[in-house]
Amino acid sequence: GSEMCIRDRVYASSWSGWSGTSQGTIPSLIGNMDRGGGTAYWSFGPDTNSKLKLFYYNGGEVHTLVTTANVPLSQWVHICAVKDTSGVTLYIDGTSSGGTNPANSPLSSTSVPLTIGSFNNNSITGYVDELRITKGTGTARYTANFTPPTAAFPDF
C-alpha cells in the first residue's frame, strides 16, 4: 500500500473555525475540501474540540480518527498524520495519540481543491507553518514517538 505523512506546525489563537460541520465535525486545516461548501473527501487538523482529527470519505462510508489528547492552545504545536502499511497514526508534538487500520483509502476529486485553513465557510483562527505532505512507498516519516524537528524544512 502507499504511505503518506502530513506534518505541520500550528498555532491556534482559539478553536473557533477549526472545523466545519458537514457529515460530522470536519477539520479545516488542510484537505481535499470546499472552503465555501460542505464537500470534503479528506481533511486533517485540530477540530473545535481541540482534538487532532483525520476525516475521510471512501465513497460509501465516512471515517474519522481522533486523538485522545488535546492539541494545546496558544503555542506552536507539531502535528502529524502518518499512514503506513499497518494503518494511520496521529501524533501531537511527537507523541502518538490515536491510530487505526483504515477501512479503505480516502477518495479525492480534482473538482474540489486542496484547501488550507478553511472549510464550509469556517476559517481557522491561528497560524500555519512548515506544512509538508509526503506520499509514496517508503515515506512514512515516523513509525514511533519522536522529537519534533525544530529546524525549517530544507529547500528543494
Side-chain angles (χ1 to χ4, degrees):
S2 68
E3 299 179 356
M4 181 177 77
C5 178
I6 303 171
R7 72 179 190 173
D8 198 355
R9 286 187 29 181
V10 296
Y11 184 103
S13 304
S14 79
W15 293 119
S16 174
W18 282 82
S19 52
T21 303
S22 171
Q23 298 178 333
T25 303
I26 298 174
S28 299
L29 178 60
I30 184 169
N32 183 201
M33 58 193 180
D34 182 357
R35 70 180 202 87
T39 302
Y41 288 91
W42 66 268
S43 178
F44 170 71
D47 66 13
T48 53
N49 298 315
S50 75
K51 303 293 185 187
L52 186 58
K53 183 182 282 187
L54 175 67
F55 162 92
Y56 70 93
Y57 175 70
N58 70 7
E61 298 176 337
V62 170
H63 298 273
T64 55
L65 176 60
V66 182
T67 59
T68 54
N70 292 337
V71 177
L73 192 63
S74 300
Q75 69 184 57
W76 284 103
V77 180
H78 183 275
I79 58 173
C80 188
V82 178
K83 178 188 180 296
D84 61 17
T85 55
S86 63
V88 177
T89 305
L90 301 180
Y91 295 92
I92 299 172
D93 274 338
T95 301
S96 171
S97 184
T100 188
N101 292 324
N104 290 297
S105 295
L107 292 180
S108 62
S109 172
T110 56
S111 65
V112 177
L114 176 68
T115 303
I116 299 171
S118 183
F119 168 64
N120 202 15
N121 297 309
N122 290 288
S123 296
I124 64 171
T125 50
Y127 305 94
V128 178
D129 185 38
E130 298 286 318
L131 174 65
R132 175 183 267 183
I133 300 174
T134 310
K135 183 177 183 291
T137 303
T139 57
R141 295 192 179 275
Y142 312 111
T143 56
N145 289 350
F146 61 94
T147 300
T150 55
F153 293 148
D155 292 332
F156 292 106

